[in-house]
Amino acid sequence: MRFEVWAPRADRMTLHRADVTSALDRDPERAGWWRGEADAPEGTRYGFAVDDGPVLPDPRSRRQPDGPDGLSAVVDQGLYAWRAEWSGRALPGAVLYELHVGTYTPEGTLDAAADRLGHLAELGVTHVELMPLCPFPGRHGWGYEGVSLWAVHEPYGGPEALKRFVDRAHELGLGVVLDVVHNHLGPSGNHLPAFGPYFTDTHQTPWGSAVNLDAPGSDEVRAYLVGSALAWLRDYRLDGLRLDAVHALRDTRALHFLEELSAAVDALAADLGRPLFLIAESDLNDPRLITSREEGGLGLHAQWNDDFHHALHTTLTGEAQGYYADFAQAPLTALSKTLTSGYFHNGTYSSFRGRHHGRPLDRARVSAQRLLGYTQTHDQIGNRAQGDRLSASLSPGLLACAAALTLTAPFTPMLFMGEEWGAGTPWQFFTDHTDPELAEAVRRGRRREFAAHGWAEEDVPDPQDPATRDRSCLDWSEPEAAPHARVLAWYRELISLRHRQADLSDPDLAAIRVAHDPGARWLALRRGDVRVAVNLAKDPAAIPLGIRRARVLAAWDPVEAPGPDGVLHVPGESCVVLTQA
């Protein structure tokens, strides 16, 4: 087997396998690279030593059996016998489902999650979006402090388990998307600086020094990140990647890293003959991110749209703290704007930021399907002090209204695991740091953060307490019990309706029409011949739809179609979807 590693500052590089040490040679064709060949069958443990320093894992390790600080292991990607024939599943028309492997089941493994994929196929979602899988210290965590960007967290089952998961998903017709983190690594278990300039002090981020995308040595760092992304898509037959916090990727080069990555992914899709896509998380509200490269954009295929979430959340809950303040001034108006314009902040003043924010989205050029819409995500639940879901404070009727708006909106909808039955379990922030100082720093920081918002220290769950993770696991007895079963049936009905009704797949933002009454707390959405009406008030609402002949497609509570006056009467905290007859 051929071993190679980039270490441009090294004077000597050695490969270590068991009790065997061998020197690597400089690659005459690639500056800074070292290479060598050695006997190394599947599973062989190995590591590299820079200038006779400690033996470290391979930066491109495909497997870390003993965690981020242990030796790497050889993986033969060709050994797995794939069962499913898979031609891919593109993003247009998708319904995504965000899933955290460690809490989707009590077992917290990829194999246990795969056993529950039948539930998602019956639900009607099209893609599973896995939260990060790269190795991180300890057993349990969110995954956003991972290292070894080519490997799979061993407690989840390692690389073979991911292949089994993807294979099972594809057998059921489900695409698989993976959340990857390029904007920071570690800090614990991050050995990349020993090999080369993977990070730079040219820029600073909330996590410290920035990943080196534009300073000396950045060509190889960019190639490292692109190579990792392509490996996930190619070796594990994934259908897409979600890119964490791309606004934190500091890059001043003329060819932005994201444009380079999107071009590489599109080229791989053409080579494999199946669709592949990239979804960005970004708070910039910059449509250039999802504009094609041919039109001067970065060419990503979609992005999370927090503006829709924030507007819907404030409308449902009345919360106005932090970034919700901009939306809470007139929540239904903010929601109407996002439904018709994509972004709420599109050059408008943001009181939370103290400046103007965003840029208008050209509705004639940018498909609404390039924006993901959601009621809840791991961030919006887990970054609350107690990790409480909407189901902890809203009635089933209001949960149904939220589902109706999310699943009939023009955006590509995404659910967070358990949302579909109004899960009663929280989803809290939890860690399993093996470094005692880091563990204590995280614990103190979490409590200090929420103390500033009036929370008592004892009311903020200890992220290092195993019980915090355990509380966050889904309770699979809930979907069959009241009121969860009714909520689940409603989600299934709405998703089926979205797949059947062509008007609900129309990506034209300019064609959307919205009416609302802030005082009476109702909103009506028009999508072609389909009408969606939600009444968020406790009292019944008379909603003037302006149509005299309509047929009810789905309703949370029994409701009659509008009479000759075109007025629809909707019970309190209820919703209905109709089509013009």
Side-chain angles (χ1 to χ4, degrees), residues 228-282:
S228 167
L230 299 184
W232 290 115
L233 298 167
R234 180 187 60 246
D235 298 339
Y236 294 95
R237 296 193 177 185
L238 298 180
D239 299 277
L241 300 174
R242 184 258 192 189
L243 309 176
D244 182 60
V246 300
H247 49 268
L249 295 171
R250 310 300 189 198
D251 183 8
T252 59
R253 290 169 61 160
L255 176 63
H256 195 280
F257 167 73
L258 291 175
E259 183 179 353
E260 182 179 347
L261 177 61
S262 71
V265 169
D266 287 348
L268 179 63
D271 184 53
L272 296 176
R274 59 182 175 89
L276 302 171
F277 53 85
L278 297 171
I279 303 171
E281 180 198 19
S282 172

Side-chain angles (χ1 to χ4, degrees), residues 159-234:
E160 288 290 295
L162 177 56
K163 290 176 182 177
R164 292 191 294 269
F165 179 94
V166 174
D167 221 358
R168 181 58 181 149
H170 287 172
E171 286 179 328
L172 293 169
L174 298 168
V176 182
V177 182
L178 176 63
D179 193 341
V180 296
V181 184
H182 290 161
N183 53 68
H184 70 287
L185 291 90
S188 181
N190 178 12
H191 301 288
L192 290 180
F195 289 92
Y198 283 88
F199 301 90
T200 175
D201 291 329
T202 304
H203 310 288
Q204 290 294 311
T205 75
W207 307 279
S209 297
V211 174
N212 181 13
L213 299 177
D214 57 5
S218 58
D219 286 354
E220 291 292 352
V221 178
R222 292 161 75 107
Y224 172 79
L225 297 176
V226 171
S228 167
L230 299 184
W232 290 115
L233 298 167
R234 180 187 60 246

